[in-house]
Amino acid sequence: MAPLSVGTQAPDFTLPTTPDQKVSLSEFKGRNVILAFYPADWSPVCGDQLALYNELREQFADLNATLLGISVDGVWCHLAFEKDRGFHLTLLSDFEPKGEVARQYGVYRSEDGTSERALFVIDGMGVIRYSYVSPVGVNPGANGILKSLQAITQQKGQAA
């Protein structure tokens, strides 16, 4: 299974963010979306990665982007993790059917039942503009995300 590549139309999905609220990718049409798939809420690398993205929320917003974190953990696990870490992020639960969205994006790890540590930047038209899979034990940082978002912004400026 290979991750979806740049230029591919991003598959739409709907996942829960709380026990009674769901979020769909299609809700963000016209905005850039960062999908950050990560293995598990409480792992040290995942915590550091999401803490970085939490700090960059305003910078992402300035580039017309919303970050959606996705793991196979349940919504209650996400809510406890967000509260414990003071995150102001949208974390989505790809819990049941387990890893369905990660499978659609080619980043499900069937050997351990989690997702890869994968990043996708999707433009306002729903096209993947950045696709990157990091080793599970390595925080991919945000440079690739920011460069991709800046390139989208520059292309829009040139087209206007």
Side-chain angles (χ1 to χ4, degrees), residues 49-119:
Q49 179 184 6
L50 293 175
L52 172 64
Y53 299 160
N54 191 61
E55 290 175 20
L56 293 172
R57 286 186 336 265
E58 288 181 27
Q59 200 168 350
F60 292 155
D62 289 345
L63 293 165
N64 193 34
T66 300
L67 180 117
L68 303 176
I70 303 175
S71 84
V72 297
D73 292 314
V75 293
W76 294 111
C77 188
H78 282 337
L79 292 171
F81 184 55
E82 288 173 22
K83 183 178 179 182
D84 181 74
R85 302 296 172 95
F87 291 158
H88 300 282
L89 301 169
T90 301
L91 299 183
L92 303 177
S93 175
D94 195 11
F95 183 71
E96 192 60 43
K98 188 172 185 180
E100 180 178 40
V101 174
R103 290 174 208 271
Q104 290 177 331
Y105 281 78
V107 296
Y108 185 71
R109 294 173 52 93
S110 57
E111 64 276 6
D112 60 15
T114 64
S115 70
E116 296 285 357
R117 189 175 307 284
L119 299 170

Side-chain angles (χ1 to χ4, degrees), residues 15 20 69 84 120 139 149:
L15 289 173
D20 57 357
D84 181 74
F120 296 93
N139 181 343
L149 291 171

Side-chain angles (χ1 to χ4, degrees), residues 118-133:
L119 299 170
F120 296 93
V121 173
I122 301 165
D123 69 17
M125 301 301 292
V127 176
I128 295 173
R129 301 289 295 271
Y130 177 72
S131 173
Y132 178 74
V133 177

